[in-house]
Amino acid sequence: MMTTQEIENPLIKFLLHLGDNALIMGHRNSEWCGHGPILEQDIALTNIALDQIGQARNFYQYAAKLILESSGEQLTEDSLAYLRDSWDFKNCLLVELPNGHWGRTVLKQLIVSAYQFCVYQELEKNADKQLAAIASKSLKEITYHFRWSSEWVIRLGDGTSESTQKMKDALDAIWPYTNEWTNFSDYELNILGDSHLTIRENFEEKLGAVLSEAGLTAPTIAFSQDGGKKGNHTEHLGYILAEMQFLQRAYPNAAW
Amino acid sequence: MGTNLEEQFQQKIDQEIKIEPKDWMPQKYRHTLIRQISQHAHSEVVGMLPEGNWISRAPSLKRKVILLAKIQDEAGHGLYLYSAAETLGISRDEMYHQLHAGKAKYSSIFNYPTLTWADMGAVGWLVDGAAIMNQVPLCRTSYGPYARAMVRVCKEESFHQRQGFESLLVLSKGTDEQKRMCQDAINRWWWPCLMMFGPPDDESTNTIQSMQWKIKRFSNDELRQKFVNMIAEQVKILGMTLPDPDLKWNEEKKQYDFGAINWEEFKQVIQGNGPCNKERLDARRKAWDEGAWVREAALAYSEKKSKQS
Ligand SMILES: [Fe+2]
Ligand SMILES: [Fe+2]
Ligand SMILES: [Fe+2]
């Protein structure tokens, strides 16, 4: 079985982190396809899933290219997605949490989009041209994801008393997974440099503005959940991978 | 008076002039169309489920994206068709209620399970393929909004069919297991796909009137025959076979003869006894019921906002 654990190159690790966030988020979003509360919104969330998976492919393809150059190992977007185990995945924990109801899903999406927006905005200026290009292309998509999820969080936060309560509960449940995004790892700091401060500031501001318009208050929490960036995940990720990787594992070396 | 309007209506149809929402039309024409278009819309939406079953397990990122985009297209078809039906004076919610109450039908094909990855290819190639046969003539159907919706739908359906075929082609050139998977999927989907064209002409009650009104332009049996002729050729490219020992080229008729369809199975599936009828309907009801608070909140919010402005 392949593993990317010996990789030391911070750019490769960072690319895998960005790709894994996008892939697992896209996977969770895609679980809604055909089951959404409103047909138009089913289509909208599937669009977001498609964008996220598309972004993951771009990050993986670039990571595979760098791995080939540095170690001579032949990898592809698919071997990175389908043949690594959970300890190799570097995504934040939030994306792997179950969707729960529609309100919890759009809240998750809001946090992810706010973060992706802020980080891509900085990466767009990165000296690494290919990274900058992927970030720039993704930023256009994320702008829409952020607007869409903001609108939903506001609508449900300020909708009926039932929806307000559901959003409060959802926020309480997922808020402990928010700090991990801006609790930067060494490989992120290596690539982001001082811009990590801007990202943290923009992220809190962007998210805070939407929550306040939705009439929601972030709970005060005594602890934060993290570990995803280093490969320490929730129990959920193993099941996502078991399902996602089934065919590649059951029929090794087959082309699809 | 009534006869005069009806004569004018039939004249328009005969002259290939499209009927538009505000035009006079016989009640029965309206009801036939509402039934047919809403059934079609439901089929698109219920049809998302069997394919949705494989999104999380698609074997490559490229295949996952293709599948997701395909299912999203089907949702889009559902939207166009619900809108077309709405022009006849029924609301989307009403149509949903009919579906959830088990009063509205949808294509029987979606009550079959998708058991292996090859089913994604077989559904695209055979199910979308049969749908195109049925639907291309509908691009010229007499009711304007339906005809226009079908033009958009058909373009995408033929794209789906090619993608499905291409995905089976890869399997057909793959490992022994992949080849077996491919043949197995064809075996399971073939006969149910032939049933998609509906009962034989001599038992089909709606056909004559619908042909006169140019809602339909070919009979069930004619369309089924065209489908068999097309697929019997395409399957050769895959190096696979169709599960019908009686399938044989008839030189005199210039068409393929094929074996007897098990209409008893068709009847059972239509009556709710197919392998997945219950799951499909339950999934739609669940999505609807669990989405109720979301729709209520969205409505309450937009009412608040419109009062404020
Ligand atoms: Fe369709
Ligand atoms: Fe269709
Ligand atoms: Fe289709």
Side-chain angles (χ1 to χ4, degrees), chain B residues 14-29:
Chain B
D14 294 341
Q15 291 163 27
E16 301 287 333
I17 298 170
K18 293 274 178 267
I19 307 300
E20 295 299 333
K22 291 199 173 115
D23 296 348
W24 184 89
M25 60 186 88
Q27 276 305 320
K28 193 161 173 255
Y29 177 84

Side-chain angles (χ1 to χ4, degrees), chain B residues 40 43-44 74 77 81 128 131 135 150 153 157:
Chain B
H40 191 168
S43 300
E44 301 288 350
E74 307 300 0
H77 300 169
L81 288 160
D128 287 68
Q135 291 169 15
M150 290 321 299
V153 169
E157 300 295 14

Side-chain angles (χ1 to χ4, degrees), chain B residues 205-262:
Chain B
T205 42
N206 300 319
T207 297
I208 298 165
Q209 179 66 83
S210 286
M211 298 271 259
Q212 196 193 356
W213 280 336
K214 296 191 181 167
I215 295 175
K216 267 179 95 108
R217 287 178 174 265
F218 295 97
S219 76
N220 295 352
D221 285 334
E222 284 171 320
L223 291 167
R224 187 166 14 246
Q225 183 65 56
K226 280 172 92 170
F227 179 70
V228 171
N229 293 346
M230 175 176 86
I231 299 298
E233 287 302 316
Q234 291 177 353
V235 76
K236 293 179 191 166
I237 304 171
L238 293 175
M240 300 282 147
T241 55
L242 297 175
D244 179 357
D246 297 325
L247 186 80
K248 213 170 65 215
W249 178 251
N250 183 324
E251 185 53 40
E252 209 172 301
K253 292 187 186 161
K254 300 284 179 210
Q255 66 183 35
Y256 277 91
D257 291 336
F258 56 97
I261 294 170
N262 181 354

Side-chain angles (χ1 to χ4, degrees), chain B residues 37-199:
Chain B
I37 301 173
S38 66
Q39 264 183 32
H40 191 168
H42 297 325
S43 300
E44 301 288 350
V45 171
V46 176
M48 296 168 74
L49 299 169
E51 290 183 285
N53 185 36
W54 281 88
I55 295 169
S56 64
R57 292 175 291 171
S60 72
L61 296 180
K62 183 185 130 195
R63 291 289 169 204
K64 195 189 282 286
V65 167
I66 291 174
L67 181 61
L68 259 176
K70 194 244 185 205
I71 300 173
Q72 190 189 33
D73 284 347
E74 307 300 0
H77 300 169
L79 274 186
Y80 311 153
L81 288 160
Y82 283 127
S83 304
E86 281 180 318
T87 63
L88 291 159
I90 185 169
S91 72
R92 205 203 294 183
D93 282 7
E94 258 176 276
M95 291 183 264
Y96 281 148
H97 287 307
Q98 291 174 352
L99 175 70
H100 300 151
K103 285 184 193 142
K105 285 187 205 151
Y106 55 87
S107 179
S108 58
I109 195 75
F110 300 118
N111 293 314
Y112 289 86
T114 52
L115 301 179
T116 73
W117 170 253
D119 289 23
M120 297 303 97
V123 167
W125 176 44
L126 296 174
V127 176
D128 287 68
I132 296 165
M133 277 297 163
N134 270 327
Q135 291 169 15
V136 165
L138 291 176
C139 298
R140 295 189 298 124
T141 196
S142 58
Y143 187 57
Y146 191 23
R148 289 188 288 272
M150 290 321 299
V151 172
R152 294 173 72 177
V153 169
C154 282
K155 265 189 214 142
E156 292 178 351
E157 300 295 14
S158 54
F159 186 60
H160 297 163
Q161 196 201 13
R162 267 177 289 150
Q163 278 178 333
F165 184 79
E166 187 269 337
S167 131
L168 289 185
L169 195 59
V170 171
L171 297 182
S172 75
K173 292 176 177 160
T175 64
D176 287 349
E177 287 147 323
Q178 285 176 307
K179 287 178 190 155
R180 201 179 315 143
M181 218 181 256
C182 181
Q183 183 63 62
D184 165 73
I186 295 170
N187 292 350
R188 280 181 292 108
W189 289 95
W190 174 246
W191 290 108
C193 279
L194 291 189
M195 298 173 197
M196 282 176 74
F197 297 91

